[in-house]
Amino acid sequence: KQEVTQIPAALSVPEGENLVLNCSFTDSAIYNLQWFRQDPGKGLTSLLLIQSSQREQTSGRLNASLDKSSGRSTLYIAASQPGDSATYLCAVRDYGQNFVFGPGTRLSVLP
Amino acid sequence: NAGVTQTPKFRILKIGQSMTLQCTQDMNHNYMYWYRQDPGMGLKLIYYSVGAGITDKGEVPNGYNVSRSTTEDFPLRLELAAPSQTSVYFCASTIGGRDTYEQYFGPGTRLTVT
C-alpha cells in the first residue's frame, strides 16, 4: 500500500530564505506527483505536477524535483515571502485512480 | 469558468441525520473525486468516478454513497451521520484520458456531526 510522508511537519523561516520541503513515497510505481498549496480554511491549489518520466518542473520561484527510484520529491522555494505561508501537500497518483496524499508541511515565513 | 463548486460551505448535523454534499464542475472533466481531510492529516479518497454512470470506492467509502448521472455533477450522500464523519470534504476533478491528470479542487464543505 502506497504511503506518503512529508518532512518537516512544520517550518518557520525568515523572509528571503530559500527552503526545501520533502516528500517521500513507498511505491515507485506512480503515474505522477503533484504539489499543492492549502491556505487555512480553503481548498487546494495546484502548484506543480511532475509526470513519472520527468525529473523536475519549475514555476516562478518554485522548483519541484522527482526521483522515482528513491521515492522522493522535493519542493524548492526561492526567496521566500510572507505570502508563501501555507500548508504544502504532495500527492502521488498510481496507475489506477488512487491519489495518495501526504500529511503536509505547514510553512510560516516571518517578515 | 467557475471550476469546481461545492455546497454547502458549512453544515452541522445531528447523529443519525442524512445529507447530500453537492459538487459541480464546468470544465467538462471526466474524472471526479471525493476526499475527506481530518485535522492535521492528508486527504483520503472516499469515492471516485471516471464518467457518468460509473463510480468506484476509494480508501474510506463506508458510510457514504455517490452517484454520477451527468458529467458535471457528483453528489456525495451521507446516511445516518456519525461523529466520525466530522471532517472537511473536498471534491476534485481531472480531465482524464491521456492527459496529465492534474487535479482541480473545490473550496470544501466543513461538516460537524454532534
Side-chain angles (χ1 to χ4, degrees), chain B residues 5-112:
Chain B
T5 57
Q6 293 181 237
T7 57
K9 286 186 167 49
F10 304 93
R11 184 73 185 268
I12 299 174
L13 280 183
K14 293 190 186 306
I15 295 171
Q17 288 185 322
S18 301
M19 78 164 292
T20 298
L21 282 66
Q22 302 291 346
C23 175
T24 299
Q25 53 89 13
D26 62 359
M27 298 174 283
N28 202 31
H29 284 175
N30 293 318
Y31 293 15
M32 295 186 74
Y33 310 85
W34 274 106
Y35 294 92
R36 59 177 287 171
Q37 184 179 35
D38 298 322
M41 308 287 286
L43 281 71
K44 292 190 184 299
L45 183 64
I46 305 171
Y47 270 95
Y48 66 92
S49 168
V50 300
I54 307 170
T55 63
D56 208 345
K57 296 177 181 178
E59 183 182 355
V60 290
N62 291 344
Y64 307 95
N65 274 302
V66 293
S67 60
R68 183 96 181 270
S69 58
T70 67
T71 299
E72 294 79 19
D73 300 306
F74 189 40
L76 177 71
R77 178 82 178 162
L78 278 71
E79 305 279 3
L80 298 175
S84 62
Q85 293 179 303
T86 294
S87 190
V88 181
Y89 292 83
F90 290 102
C91 179
S93 70
T94 75
I95 194 164
R98 294 176 66 83
D99 200 77
T100 61
Y101 289 99
E102 183 174 4
Q103 289 194 89
Y104 297 85
F105 279 78
T109 294
R110 190 174 298 271
L111 176 68
T112 301

Side-chain angles (χ1 to χ4, degrees), chain A residues 79-98:
Chain A
S80 58
Q81 303 170 358
D84 295 330
S85 297
T87 296
Y88 292 80
L89 297 101
C90 68
V92 298
R93 180 179 177 274
D94 62 22
Y95 284 89
Q97 281 302 321
N98 199 26

Side-chain angles (χ1 to χ4, degrees), chain A residues 6-111:
Chain A
Q6 291 186 245
I7 294 173
L11 181 62
S12 184
V13 300
E15 181 177 5
E17 273 203 8
N18 303 325
L19 56 100
V20 174
L21 308 181
N22 297 292
C23 172
S24 298
F25 46 95
T26 55
D27 187 346
S28 62
I30 64 170
Y31 191 88
N32 63 35
L33 183 145
Q34 196 167 354
W35 281 94
F36 296 87
R37 168 188 174 133
Q38 185 176 27
D39 293 291
K42 304 289 188 185
L44 280 69
T45 301
S46 177
L47 297 173
L48 290 164
L49 182 145
I50 311 176
Q51 300 285 29
S52 63
S53 58
Q54 297 174 322
R55 297 283 291 180
E56 65 177 331
Q57 283 283 343
T58 297
S59 175
R61 294 183 294 109
L62 305 179
N63 175 277
S65 67
L66 174 64
D67 184 343
K68 236 179 44 161
S69 60
S70 68
R72 296 180 60 183
S73 176
T74 61
L75 178 67
Y76 176 82
I77 303 177
S80 58
Q81 303 170 358
D84 295 330
S85 297
T87 296
Y88 292 80
L89 297 101
C90 68
V92 298
R93 180 179 177 274
D94 62 22
Y95 284 89
Q97 281 302 321
N98 199 26
F99 289 87
V100 180
F101 281 77
T105 293
R106 190 168 62 255
L107 173 65
S108 296
V109 181
L110 307 174

